[in-house]
Amino acid sequence: MLIGKACRFGGRVRSCVVYPLACLFTASSNMAKSKFEYVRNFETDDTCLRNCYIVVRLDGRNFHKFAEQHKFIKPSDNRALGLMTRSARSVMEELEDVSIAYGQSDEFSFVFKRSSTWFKRRASKLMTHVASQFSSSYVFYWKEFFGEQPLLYPPGFDGRVVLYPSNRNLRDYLSWRQADCHINNLYNTVFWTLVQKGGLTTAQAEDRLKGTLAADKNEILFSEFDINYNTESALHRKGTTLIWEKRDETVTKRMKRPNGEEEDVAVTRSRRRVHAHHGDIIGEQFWEEHPDILEDDTC
């Protein structure tokens, strides 16, 4: 296809050079490669190593202050934990290569498959996408969990990316986070029980717990307040594990019979969705029940 260019000479318009249209597009494309494009060379290659699980962990930024200003219930606020889980589920539904996520308190870890090629495995892309999706979901679903209580200011979350090359490394990482959940929750449970039921000030409760072991904390709860820590909510003691599972769902559909009449028919179909677990992930049972989470170590 050709296109002409008109030229003006002494007030008269005359036909000049005729250019192929493809040449114009080529010239336009070349113009995009300006002399400033060299600055792209300053970008760092942050491609994650292949055959490694990519873990993106988010932590609430200054959430101690955030919890106080929004009057979170002590020692554990189920509304806040529910909102964290809902936000994490939103991330998994957006990024289906996240095979498992684990969260407790104000943190959540997202595990991308070893074989994932999302965003060309660029750490910055993965981390920022997870952080932005999680943060926006936290604000979006706030009213679903806190009702008319206003969100006073935007929450912030920082993130990091860590690679784990083997199934054992990944399991040890998740075990570490669940062990941390147990340690923190036990301390907070005893601390706030001493304050709310024992009448101690926060300074006195802190002083009382200095140097105590897990057995000592359990003894305080049981002997002084008749509380068996092992019967406390598994959500608080074990945290939340999110995984993809296929489950049968039954829906009612309006169907037309051969005689022309319509009737409601129950239809069962299998759907893959994100489901929450609040059990132990340190032992073998969870992994034996969900063998599809981990990938072959020999790949």
Side-chain angles (χ1 to χ4, degrees):
M1 180 177 180
L2 302 179
I3 184 169
K5 180 179 180 182
C7 302
R8 183 176 294 275
F9 293 96
R12 298 177 62 187
V13 177
R14 297 180 179 178
S15 177
C16 282
V17 184
V18 177
Y19 295 107
L21 187 59
C23 292
L24 293 181
F25 282 116
T26 303
S28 177
S29 300
N30 289 335
M31 289 177 64
K33 296 183 179 298
S34 70
K35 65 178 181 179
F36 307 111
E37 192 178 11
Y38 79 93
V39 297
R40 295 182 62 182
N41 297 327
F42 287 85
E43 295 183 15
T44 303
D45 182 10
D46 61 349
T47 304
C48 294
L49 192 65
R50 293 179 61 186
N51 293 334
C52 290
Y53 292 103
I54 304 172
V55 175
V56 178
R57 186 167 90 237
L58 299 185
D59 290 279
R61 180 181 176 276
N62 201 8
F63 248 57
H64 179 73
K65 176 183 176 183
F66 185 87
E68 285 186 349
Q69 295 197 352
H70 289 87
K71 297 179 173 57
F72 282 11
I73 299 169
K74 303 294 186 180
S76 298
D77 193 319
N78 288 340
R79 300 170 303 170
L81 294 175
L83 179 55
M84 289 286 293
T85 299
R86 182 64 187 87
S87 302
R89 184 154 62 89
S90 175
V91 172
M92 291 186 68
E93 291 168 346
E94 178 72 16
L95 300 171
E96 295 185 12
D97 263 12
V98 175
S99 57
I100 182 172
Y102 175 79
Q104 50 120 345
S105 186
D106 65 340
E107 73 167 58
F108 241 100
S109 296
F110 300 89
V111 181
F112 285 82
K113 297 175 182 177
R114 299 171 71 166
S115 56
S116 177
T117 57
W118 279 70
F119 304 112
K120 298 181 180 179
R121 294 179 70 86
R122 290 188 59 185
S124 57
K125 288 281 190 178
L126 292 167
M127 182 177 66
T128 53
H129 197 108
V130 169
S132 62
Q133 182 72 25
F134 190 95
S135 300
S136 59
S137 297
Y138 194 95
V139 174
F140 185 82
Y141 292 111
W142 173 268
K143 282 192 175 182
E144 185 176 316
F145 294 88
F146 284 87
E148 295 305 312
Q149 180 177 332
L151 182 62
L152 302 178
Y153 60 88
F157 296 88
D158 63 70
R160 72 199 71 187
V161 175
V162 186
L163 305 183
Y164 294 100
S166 70
N167 290 338
R168 175 47 58 189
N169 293 151
L170 177 65
R171 284 188 53 180
D172 285 348
Y173 168 78
L174 294 171
S175 297
W176 170 49
R177 301 320 305 146
Q178 188 167 68
D180 186 72
C181 173
H182 162 69
I183 293 170
N184 292 336
N185 187 69
L186 177 57
Y187 181 91
N188 289 333
T189 300
V190 181
F191 180 89
W192 287 107
T193 299
L194 288 171
V195 172
Q196 295 169 352
K197 297 183 179 181
L200 301 185
T201 65
T202 53
Q204 290 171 332
E206 185 177 354
D207 188 63
R208 172 78 187 278
L209 294 177
K210 282 182 180 177
T212 57
L213 303 176
D216 302 320
K217 296 179 179 69
N218 275 290
E219 182 61 25
I220 292 173
L221 287 174
F222 189 74
S223 61
E224 298 183 27
F225 302 99
D226 197 28
I227 296 175
N228 182 349
Y229 179 75
N230 292 325
T231 62
E232 293 292 290
S233 170
L235 166 63
H236 303 155
R237 292 184 295 110
K238 302 292 186 181
T240 299
T241 304
L242 298 178
I243 60 173
W244 290 97
E245 289 185 294
K246 282 187 177 181
R247 294 188 181 179
D248 291 338
E249 294 183 357
T250 302
V251 296
T252 302
K253 299 189 70 173
R254 193 74 174 172
M255 307 287 287
K256 182 175 288 188
R257 300 175 64 181
N259 60 8
E261 296 181 1
E262 292 186 350
E263 65 175 344
D264 291 331
V265 178
V267 178
T268 300
R269 60 183 61 176
S270 180
R271 289 185 179 272
R272 183 174 177 265
R273 295 199 175 177
V274 178
H275 292 278
H277 295 259
H278 305 295
D280 178 75
I281 58 173
I282 297 177
E284 297 297 327
Q285 183 176 348
F286 173 83
W287 302 100
E288 291 173 353
E289 292 175 352
H290 307 284
D292 55 319
I293 296 175
L294 301 177
E295 296 177 76
D296 190 355
D297 258 341
T298 61
C299 63

